[in-house]
């Protein structure tokens, strides 16, 4: 079943004369994990925001085409309606803290209070997401006292508690240290395994290669390709779009070692190790 | 160039120390400082810069004790620091004015300041945008602008805090060139960074901070060969280094080129 | 008395010591110089204390103590978030409630970003330490980045609130249970009655 359908989406920010998104079309199945990659200002963030309705409802601007998320047409529904189906996590962990709650526990409740979840269910849901994102030990802390990684997991928890079908993340780890990013990626992966559809815009190609089922390559607001990480990262023209393949792919490409029975280079550490062990005699 | 002895610091008097017993010497080798958030990296460079005052210990820069200088502003001619978030730094109306601000502060003449500024802007390829308002630049351009505004001050020591965040390959390539150009001018380039591939490819020396102490210090190749200690500091070696190690290479590999040569 | 009952008397000591310092000067000035002063109460050397001024000062002291005490009780025993939450339940707009509560939390965040911005300029040789003139000169240009930074944050925070259903039309629910005590109705009614009486008394008597 298609969870997300985007058809001929065009969008221009107010005050700008360039199309930020130009004729974007793709579909995402339920439970898929999709990576969005591309150089800076290629339209990654804008596309993410189009999936939750911030484009066009928050920014206004010129909008054409159709975006369907979990059966809702974004253009015709309010942000509040869409927020029940699609949740979004942003880059900066600080600006996602509401600032009106004193504890992590209350912070997670914020969205649930807004959409009118009964108190008993609210408590159940919060307890669940605290465990799921491994932040139950900080539930009584002030949100601003958390580390970056904890704060970002709290942001994800706040969204997940609202039980969306789709989770959109816009470079959620760009401001975190390696340990913090790892915590967040593990959390996202476990959500994906539970069947949530995940859309992730990301710069770290090694992570995209490791976690995503399919990758959408954007350039100047247009879709270049949507395919498996192996196919995308094996493209000869990748660097012309301002994207560097994972280091494992680059090494195998330089050595001319492809994956068995395919026309693609390996994209992860494990896969590269496997083919290199077989292919070339060790030093 | 810099000698740090027995340095310790805490934000609250009598509170938990953020740094304790740091002894380090810096020469001209380009140096990466790595470690988890909260390990004390930023506090350390703020102390070098004189933005914070140590509880204990001494910092000598060019044999002058930082304590003797009264304000951070007096340190500005010797040591430059580029902050992580460009929005904290930018406050002039044009790109050129922004870059000239530092040089003018350290009493360079107006003509020299302008020449320095334009030279620095050339390095980051923003010299065609001199009259633009800095806030109209993209985030990655803003970061490059902030680097230029410190480079223009022509200090002997330059510290960059997380320069590669928000940069795509093009931006990273430019930062790589800047670091190389500064190295060629015999400046000490130091950076706080989480991007290990960038460390392996660009820095001669690496220092690992962990819980306010120096856990590991040495040539970058040596540091990335110490798997167990890195794990303790929750730092991962670069991907290529890990791959080479899994394949049983005897030497520690830092770049794709080295890997291919070894094959 | 209530302050003691609420176990917050200790926190009020610094406030009261400041208030009393001011009040003592009031007592002295009024006692010595109030124009209606006629009846001399006592004399210390050449200084004469008058009865009228002293009584007037006493009244001011009582009023101020009263106002300060009741304000302290409100501030020290009620979390702002609880107060606002109660008001929202009683029908205040959740948006206004959000603004009030968030200000308490966002201000410390702004102060810390102010510190970073200050450091960034000191790092480029701006003199920020020294006499008042130097500091004021350094301070003004910093307001630009501070304001801009908080505007950028505001935009991002607004988006983050939107995706968490801030403008949802669904009836709001609350994590915290409304605390109702058996006596609260009675107390509320008595209080209301007292206020009405006091006001009537002021107007008619």
């Amino acid at each position: 079943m298609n969870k997300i359908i985007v058809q001929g989406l065009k969008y221009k920010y107010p005050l700008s004369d360039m199309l930020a998104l130009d004729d974007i079309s793709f579909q995402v199945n339920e439970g898929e994990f999709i990576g969005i990659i591309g150089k800076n200002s290629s339209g990654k963030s804008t596309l993410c925001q189009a999936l939750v309705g911030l484009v066009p409802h928050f920014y206004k601007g010129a909008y054409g085409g159709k975006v369907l998320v979990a059966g809702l047409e974004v253009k015709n529904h309010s942000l509040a309606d869409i927020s029940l189906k699609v949740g979004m996590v942003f880059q900066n962990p600080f600006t996602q803290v509401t600032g009106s709650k004193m504890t992590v526990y209350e912070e997670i409740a914020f969205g649930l209070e807004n959409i009118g979840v009964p108190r008993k269910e609210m408590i159940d849901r919060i307890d669940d997401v605290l465990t799921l994102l491994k932040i139950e030990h900080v539930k009584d802390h002030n949100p601003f006292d958390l580390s970056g990684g904890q704060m970002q997991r709290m942001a994800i928890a706040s969204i997940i508690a609202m039980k969306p079908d789709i989770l959109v993340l816009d470079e959620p780890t760009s401001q975190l240290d390696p340990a913090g990013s790892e915590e967040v990626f593990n959390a996202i992966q476990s959500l994906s395994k539970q069947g949530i559809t995940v859309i992730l815009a990301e710069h770290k190609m090694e992570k995209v290669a490791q976690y995503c089922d399919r990758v959408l390559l954007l350039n100047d607001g247009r879709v270049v390709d949507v395919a498996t990480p192996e196919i995308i990262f094996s493209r000869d023209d990748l660097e012309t779009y301002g994207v560097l393949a994972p280091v494992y792919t680059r090494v195998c490409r330089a050595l001319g070692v492809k994956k068995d029975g395919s026309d693609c280079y390996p994209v992860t550490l494990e896969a590269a190790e496997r083919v290199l062990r077989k292919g070339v005699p060790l030093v | 160039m810099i000698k740090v002895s027995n340095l310790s610091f805490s934000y609250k008097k009598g509170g938990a120390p953020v740094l304790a017993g740091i002894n380090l010497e810096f020469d001209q080798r380009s140096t990466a400082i790595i470690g988890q958030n909260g390990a004390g990296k930023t506090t350390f460079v703020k102390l070098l810069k004189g933005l914070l005052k140590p509880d204990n210990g001494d910092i000598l820069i060019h044999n002058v004790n930082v304590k003797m200088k009264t304000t951070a502003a007096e340190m500005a001619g010797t040591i430059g620091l580029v902050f992580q978030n460009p929005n904290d730094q930018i406050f002039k109306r044009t790109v050129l004015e922004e870059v000239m601000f530092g040089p003018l502060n350290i009493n360079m003449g107006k003509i020299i300041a302008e020449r320095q500024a334009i030279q620095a802007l050339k390095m980051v390829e923003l010299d065609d945008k001199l009259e633009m308002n800095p806030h109209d630049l993209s985030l990655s351009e803003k970061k490059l602008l902030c680097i230029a505004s410190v480079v223009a001050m022509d200090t002997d020591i330059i510290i960059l805090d997380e320069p590669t965040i928000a940069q795509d390959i093009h931006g990273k390539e430019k930062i790589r060139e800047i670091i190389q150009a500064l190295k060629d001018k015999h400046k000490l380039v130091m950076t706080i960074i989480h991007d290990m591939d960038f460390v392996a490819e660009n820095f001669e020396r690496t220092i690992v901070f962990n819980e306010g102490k120096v856990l590991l210090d040495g040539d970058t190749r040596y540091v990335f060969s110490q798997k167990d200690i890195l794990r303790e500091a929750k730092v991962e070696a670069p991907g290529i280094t890990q791959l080479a190690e899994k394949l049983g290479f005897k030497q520690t590999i830092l770049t794709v080129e080295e890997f291919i040569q070894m094959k | 008395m209530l302050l003691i009952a609420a176990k917050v008397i200790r926190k009020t000591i610094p406030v009261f010591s400041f208030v009393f310092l001011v009040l003592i000067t009031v007592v002295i000035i009024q006692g010595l110089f109030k124009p209606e002063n006629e009846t001399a109460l006592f004399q210390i050397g050449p200084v004469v204390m008058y009865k009228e001024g002293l009584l007037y000062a006493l009244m001011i002291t009582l009023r101020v103590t009263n106002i300060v005490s009741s304000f302290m009780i409100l501030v020290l025993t009620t979390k702002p978030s609880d107060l606002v939450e109660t008001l929202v339940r009683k029908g205040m707009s959740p948006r206004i409630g959000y603004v009030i509560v968030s200000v308490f939390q966002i201000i410390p965040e702004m102060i810390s970003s102010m510190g970073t911005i200050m450091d960034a300029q000191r790092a480029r040789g701006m003199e920020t330490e020294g006499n008042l003139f130097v500091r004021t000169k350094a301070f003004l240009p910093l307001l630009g980045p501070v304001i801009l930074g908080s505007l950028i944050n505001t935009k991002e925070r607004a988006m983050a609130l939107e995706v968490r259903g801030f403008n949802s039309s669904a009836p709001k629910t609350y994590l915290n249970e409304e605390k109702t005590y058996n006596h609260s109705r009675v107390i509320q009614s008595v209080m209301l009655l007292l206020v009405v009486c006091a006001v009537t008394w002021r107007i008619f008597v």
Side-chain angles (χ1 to χ4, degrees), chain A:
Chain A
M1 197 195 102
N2 284 334
K3 209 65 189 169
I4 301 176
I5 302 172
V6 179
Q7 264 170 15
L9 173 66
K10 289 188 183 192
Y11 176 71
K12 188 166 78 62
Y13 282 101
L15 305 177
S16 156
D17 27 65
M18 289 230 303
L19 281 176
L21 297 176
D22 187 0
D23 203 12
I24 304 252
S25 301
F26 64 93
Q27 287 165 8
V28 178
N29 295 324
E30 185 164 4
E32 261 193 305
F33 193 145
I34 303 285
I36 303 180
I37 62 171
K39 63 169 182 260
N40 282 338
S41 56
S42 59
K44 300 192 295 289
S45 293
T46 314
L47 181 55
C48 286
Q49 292 174 8
L51 296 177
V52 294
L54 288 167
V55 162
H57 297 304
F58 187 81
Y59 290 100
K60 316 299 178 208
Y63 186 87
K66 212 158 112 176
V67 177
L68 277 164
V69 285
L72 296 180
E73 180 161 3
V74 165
K75 192 171 56 181
N76 303 332
H77 285 84
S78 72
L79 280 165
D81 289 346
I82 302 167
S83 72
L84 299 175
K85 299 285 182 187
V86 193
M88 176 156 182
V89 176
F90 299 82
Q91 279 186 34
N92 186 340
F94 283 91
T95 54
Q96 293 173 75
V97 181
T98 60
S100 71
K101 300 290 181 179
M102 300 307 215
T103 67
V104 170
Y105 203 87
E106 292 174 327
E107 175 72 26
I108 296 172
F110 180 85
L112 303 177
E113 294 181 333
N114 287 332
I115 59 174
V117 174
R119 184 170 176 273
K120 245 189 112 40
E121 194 187 337
M122 205 185 287
I123 291 169
D124 288 344
R125 286 200 196 181
I126 299 173
D127 289 338
D128 279 352
V129 292
L130 283 170
T131 326
L132 190 61
L133 288 145
K134 305 199 175 81
I135 45 173
E136 58 278 65
H137 58 292
V138 294
K139 71 180 161 78
D140 296 323
H141 291 209
N142 185 309
F144 284 110
D145 292 340
L146 302 185
S147 73
Q150 289 171 337
M151 218 186 254
Q152 198 60 300
R153 278 182 290 156
M154 174 184 75
I156 298 175
S158 314
I159 292 296
I160 290 301
M162 294 169 75
K163 298 225 163 129
D165 297 358
I166 302 164
L167 179 63
V168 180
L169 306 114
D170 185 3
E171 295 192 38
T173 65
S174 67
Q175 311 201 1
L176 306 182
D177 61 4
S181 322
E182 203 52 43
E183 292 168 5
V184 170
F185 273 112
N186 287 336
I188 300 171
Q189 197 189 19
S190 71
L191 290 170
S192 168
K193 283 197 179 133
Q194 293 193 0
I196 292 185
T197 308
V198 180
I199 309 288
L200 169 76
E202 184 57 64
H203 262 313
K204 295 171 187 152
M205 297 306 154
E206 280 78 11
K207 300 286 184 195
V208 172
Q210 190 180 346
Y211 294 116
C212 296
D213 301 321
R214 282 194 299 152
V215 178
L216 187 152
L217 173 60
L218 275 181
N219 189 48
D220 294 337
R222 291 175 152 272
V223 176
V224 177
D225 201 355
V226 193
T228 61
E230 277 91 4
I231 295 177
I232 295 281
F233 291 129
S234 298
R235 286 178 70 107
D236 296 326
D237 57 355
L238 197 61
E239 289 192 29
T240 59
Y241 302 115
V243 174
L244 205 56
V247 67
Y248 315 114
T249 316
R250 281 182 279 147
V251 157
C252 294
R253 173 190 288 278
L255 295 169
V257 200
K258 291 192 172 169
K259 249 179 133 170
D260 287 347
S262 87
D263 205 24
C264 297
Y265 301 105
V267 294
T268 60
L269 175 61
E270 292 72 28
E273 187 193 345
R274 227 173 297 129
V275 297
L276 286 174
R277 258 189 207 294
K278 266 191 219 155
V280 192
L282 290 177
V283 196

Side-chain angles (χ1 to χ4, degrees), chain B residues 167-231:
Chain B
Q167 298 291 354
D168 50 20
I169 43 174
H170 186 61
K172 272 192 201 175
E173 188 52 44
K174 243 179 282 177
I175 292 170
R176 190 191 312 277
E177 286 165 15
I178 294 165
I179 293 174
Q180 192 54 51
L182 293 171
K183 274 200 255 180
D184 292 345
K185 283 198 203 163
H186 306 292
K187 312 244 179 213
L188 164 58
V189 184
M190 222 188 279
T191 184
I192 296 177
I193 191 163
H194 289 317
D195 183 337
M196 296 307 149
D197 297 337
F198 197 82
V199 172
E201 287 162 20
N202 296 288
F203 291 90
E204 297 154 85
R205 176 184 180 186
T206 299
I207 301 173
V208 185
F209 272 68
N210 190 43
E211 292 172 1
K213 294 201 171 67
V214 173
L215 191 64
L216 195 56
D217 173 15
D219 285 342
T220 300
R221 192 179 305 280
Y222 162 76
V223 167
F224 283 132
S225 69
Q226 303 296 308
K227 228 177 32 172
D228 297 332
I229 306 181
L230 289 179
R231 192 172 305 126

